[in-house]
Amino acid sequence: KRIILVGPPGCGKGTQSPILKEEHCLCHLATGDMLRAAVAQQTPLGLEAKAAMDKGALVSDDLVVGIIDEALQRPSCAKGFILDGFPRTVVQAQKLDAALEKQGVKIDKVLDFEIDDSILEERITGRWIHPASGRSYHSKFAPPKVSGKDDITGEALIQRKDDTAEVLKKRLTSFHEQTTPVIEYYAQKGIVKKIEAEKSANVVTEEIRKSLA
Ligand code: AP5
Ligand code: ZN
C-alpha cells in the first residue's frame, strides 16, 4: 500500500505511523524527522532548512521533494510506504505524482486527520521525544514510565524546538494556507478518507485499520 497521512501539527501522524508500518510492512517516510536529522548533523541541507523550521514556516518544495525522491528509490520502499508530513503543498503533490508515474505506481489512500485547532496546543506543548529512536510521549496522554526518560533505553527525553505555543500558531497558519489545498487535490481523485483524530490514540488506530482493510 502507498499511503499519505495529512493533518495539522500534533494530530497524531507520528503516533500512528509506527503501528501502520508494522502491520502493513511499509516504509515510513517522515519529512519532518528527516529534516531534523539533517539539522542535527549540520548537513548543507539541514543548514538550509533550519531557519524555516524554527519559525514554523515550510521548507522549500525543491529541498523536500529532493529528499523524498531519493528515499523512494530505496528497495525497502518498493512494496509500499507511509508518507508522514509530505506532500504539504500542491506543487509537492504534483511532483510526487510525476515521480510515482515513472515507476508505474500511484497513491492508494490519503488519511485526512481531522481535529479542531483548539486541541493542538496541549498535544504539542506536552510532547516529549527520544531523539535517537523518534519515540514520542505526552506528559498527560502517553506518559513515560519514568518522567523524562525513554521507556526502552532510559535515555533523556527532549522537547522539539518548534513545539511552543507561539511557533505552533505559525505552523497552523502554514497548514491551513498551504496544505488544505493538498487534501482537495486528492479528494478530486476520490482517495481521501477522513479520520476522527480527536479521539484517543487507540480509537484512532482502530479507525485507520478499518479504513485500510
Ligand atoms: P513535522 O515534523 O512534520 O511536524 P508537524 O506536521 O507539525 O507534525 P507533528 O510532528 O508536530 O505532529 P504529529 O501529527 O506527528 O503528532 P504526534 O503523533 O507526534 O514538520 C516539522 C517542520 O519541518 C515543519 O514545520 C516544516 O518546517 C518542515 N517540514 C516537514 N515536512 C515538510 C514538507 N513536506 N514541506 C515543507 N516543510 C516541511 O502527536 C503529538 C503529541 O500528541 C504526542 O505527544 C502524542 O503522544 C500525542 N498524541 C497523539 N495522538 C493522540 C491522541 N489521539 N490523543 C491524545 N494525545 C495524542
Ligand atoms: Zn510528526
Side-chain angles (χ1 to χ4, degrees), residues 126-131 135 137-139 142-159:
R127 170 166 56 188
W128 289 85
I129 55 172
H130 177 240
R135 271 186 289 280
Y137 300 87
H138 191 281
S139 51
K145 288 180 193 135
V146 178
S147 173
K149 302 270 200 274
D150 177 47
D151 284 355
I152 294 173
T153 63
E155 288 165 358
L157 302 178
I158 60 153
Q159 288 202 283

Side-chain angles (χ1 to χ4, degrees), residues 16-188:
Q16 301 296 334
S17 289
I19 304 167
L20 272 180
K21 175 185 157 138
E22 285 300 313
E23 292 182 2
H24 295 271
C25 291
L26 304 174
C27 90
H28 173 212
L29 300 175
T31 39
D33 293 346
M34 292 161 153
L35 291 167
R36 277 184 291 282
V39 170
Q41 288 159 19
Q42 300 191 320
T43 65
L45 210 139
L47 294 173
E48 194 184 326
K50 188 177 186 309
M53 294 176 78
D54 283 352
K55 61 174 197 230
L58 294 186
V59 170
S60 77
D61 287 335
D62 285 346
L63 199 155
V64 281
V65 168
I67 296 184
I68 285 288
D69 271 347
E70 199 186 308
L72 288 176
Q73 313 290 326
R74 292 181 201 159
S76 61
C77 292
K79 279 196 199 139
F81 51 74
I82 308 156
L83 294 175
D84 161 359
F86 179 94
R88 258 176 154 93
T89 64
V90 171
V91 170
Q92 291 178 17
Q94 288 165 337
K95 292 198 168 169
L96 173 66
D97 273 352
L100 293 178
E101 205 173 317
K102 274 193 208 147
Q103 297 182 15
V105 298
K106 58 183 171 41
I107 298 296
D108 296 299
K109 200 143 268 180
V110 176
L111 302 181
D112 170 18
F113 284 54
E114 286 202 314
I115 187 163
D116 198 83
D117 281 4
S118 61
I119 297 180
L120 300 171
E121 184 174 326
E122 188 179 29
R123 289 229 190 147
I124 286 292
T125 55
R127 170 166 56 188
W128 289 85
I129 55 172
H130 177 240
S133 68
R135 271 186 289 280
S136 85
Y137 300 87
H138 191 281
S139 51
K140 181 168 159 192
F141 304 121
K145 288 180 193 135
V146 178
S147 173
K149 302 270 200 274
D150 177 47
D151 284 355
I152 294 173
T153 63
E155 288 165 358
L157 302 178
I158 60 153
Q159 288 202 283
R160 262 167 58 175
K161 204 174 172 202
D162 59 346
D163 275 352
T164 61
E166 200 195 341
V167 180
L168 172 63
K169 285 201 193 92
K170 307 255 181 55
R171 290 159 63 193
L172 275 172
T173 306
S174 306
F175 175 77
H176 291 300
E177 288 176 359
Q178 290 165 280
T179 309
T180 312
V182 173
I183 301 170
E184 186 48 38
Y185 174 88
Y186 288 112
Q188 285 172 9

